[in-house]
Amino acid sequence: LRGRLPAVVDGRSDYVDVRDVARGHLRAAERGRPGERYVLGGHDGGWVELIERVAELSGVHHPVAVLPPALGSLARHAEALGLRPPVASEAIMLMGLNWSYSSRKARSELGYRSRALDSTLADTIDWYSELIESGSLHGRLSPLSLGAFGMRAAAAAHLTGIASAVGARAGLRLVAGE
């Protein structure tokens, strides 16, 4: 919401409301079988789709570069050469993985349910907006915020639109959040 995220890696994850996870833990304590494990997930989706949905729900649009998962290996090689990329190679590699999970067992054995993703995102946007408005978040300059500033400058110069068009012709998503 503050426009400090310059990029995401084109990977997938599972998004769930912490309130649903807490309720799932209580249900596991009440109804779960001893020794069993339950995945308390929510909604599988890509990081790009999450950025787009947050932009749509909040009305706050910032361009975010979409990076290929293979960039993690490149960052790892750079680190091996003594270079320091702005984000650790492990973070890039982890974001590029598929972190999708099934909560089928928790649903059937515990009656676990997760709320709609839009509801979770709307509540999160409201909470974060309150933090921004109250001044609770103090942002200092970082390599990531500088990169995000560069992405906004590129958007102002219509370069992200060109990148999006080129990527679309190649069947790739290069920019999200606009």
Side-chain angles (χ1 to χ4, degrees), residues 4-177:
R4 295 173 54 103
L5 181 67
V8 293
V9 180
D10 194 12
R12 299 186 66 77
S13 195
D14 187 274
Y15 311 105
V16 63
D17 196 300
V18 67
R19 296 168 293 188
D20 296 331
V21 173
R23 192 172 55 250
H25 277 270
L26 293 174
R27 287 188 177 237
E30 295 166 355
R31 303 177 188 177
R33 292 181 288 136
E36 289 297 314
R37 295 179 184 195
Y38 300 94
V39 174
L40 304 174
H43 306 276
D44 290 330
W47 289 106
V48 172
E49 290 82 12
L50 182 70
I51 294 294
E52 294 289 342
R53 195 68 193 131
V54 168
E56 186 175 325
L57 290 171
S58 68
V60 177
H61 299 268
H62 296 290
V64 176
V66 179
L67 306 175
L71 190 62
S73 294
L74 183 63
R76 179 169 279 162
H77 290 300
E79 288 171 346
L81 294 172
L83 303 173
R84 283 194 58 204
V87 176
S89 62
E90 288 83 7
I92 297 168
M93 294 174 86
L94 287 171
M95 192 176 207
L97 295 176
N98 182 350
W99 293 98
S100 299
Y101 298 98
S102 171
S103 297
R104 189 174 338 194
K105 181 177 167 185
R107 284 193 302 270
S108 67
E109 293 187 21
L110 307 177
Y112 172 77
R113 299 285 180 269
S114 62
R115 68 194 74 215
L117 180 60
D118 279 0
S119 173
T120 294
L121 293 177
D123 288 348
T124 303
I125 290 164
D126 289 345
W127 171 74
Y128 202 71
S129 295
E130 289 173 16
L131 291 175
I132 292 170
E133 289 171 18
S134 72
S136 296
L137 299 176
H138 304 289
R140 62 180 199 277
L141 211 50
S142 71
L144 292 181
S145 59
L146 288 173
F149 175 78
M151 284 298 295
R152 288 194 303 278
H158 306 290
L159 297 175
T160 56
I162 294 169
S164 292
V166 169
R169 289 192 66 121
L172 300 170
R173 184 72 185 266
L174 300 179
V175 180

